[in-house]
Amino acid sequence: HFNRSEDWFRDELLPVTGLDVYSQSFPTDRGYADYSSGRFRILIIRQEDVRRVGAEALGQFFDLDGPCPILDRNTGEGDPVYERFRREWRFPSDLVEETYESPMATHFYDDEERAAMTRRWTE
């Protein structure tokens, strides 16, 4: 069962690095942000945005002259079991709603995105 109190960013990252990803709003339209504190610097890219903005985000993060190519592997696309799962599987609505109302979800996704994801996995 999903535990809303578990939060890797708060419980693991913050104590070690001092990086509080919740201290600034996340640019949901961009799908990524970088954070720095002292000697630590991290890049957060939402998984579903890697194809869309990952190369650009990594290029900027590493101060490259352009995008950093990302290989597209192990996506599951074309696998009949994976495709069937995506097409047919639905989760209990209370679990999905609890998940998308967690502090982590509300920070990294706007209301419209969370509503769309809720519909995707419950309807």
Side-chain angles (χ1 to χ4, degrees):
H1 182 53
F2 178 71
N3 183 345
R4 285 177 57 149
S5 66
E6 292 179 4
D7 185 327
W8 184 86
F9 294 104
R10 182 194 66 225
D11 300 340
E12 303 291 335
L13 184 70
L14 178 60
V16 173
T17 65
L19 290 164
D20 181 3
V21 300
Y22 300 114
S23 66
Q24 62 188 45
S25 61
F26 185 81
T28 58
D29 57 326
R30 267 188 21 186
Y32 70 94
D34 63 73
Y35 305 83
S36 60
S37 176
R39 64 186 177 113
F40 296 102
R41 185 170 173 232
I42 64 166
L43 172 67
I44 297 176
I45 306 172
R46 298 187 308 185
Q47 181 179 356
E48 61 274 15
D49 289 317
V50 169
R51 284 183 178 167
R52 182 174 67 88
V53 298
E56 170 193 332
L58 284 169
Q60 290 175 6
F61 185 75
F62 291 120
D63 199 26
L64 302 176
D65 290 334
C68 178
I70 298 175
L71 300 177
D72 200 12
R73 296 184 179 162
N74 297 325
T75 65
E77 290 179 16
D79 178 322
V81 174
Y82 177 73
E83 295 296 338
R84 181 175 178 199
F85 170 82
R86 286 190 46 106
R87 190 174 53 252
E88 297 177 11
W89 185 260
R90 297 299 173 261
F91 291 94
S93 60
D94 60 333
L95 174 63
V96 173
E97 290 168 10
E98 181 180 353
T99 301
Y100 290 135
E101 290 306 315
S102 70
M104 192 181 316
T106 58
H107 181 73
F108 291 107
Y109 300 91
D110 64 31
D111 293 343
E112 187 177 308
E113 290 170 320
R114 291 192 333 276
M117 290 185 293
T118 297
R119 285 190 304 274
R120 161 68 184 97
W121 291 111
T122 60
E123 295 178 3

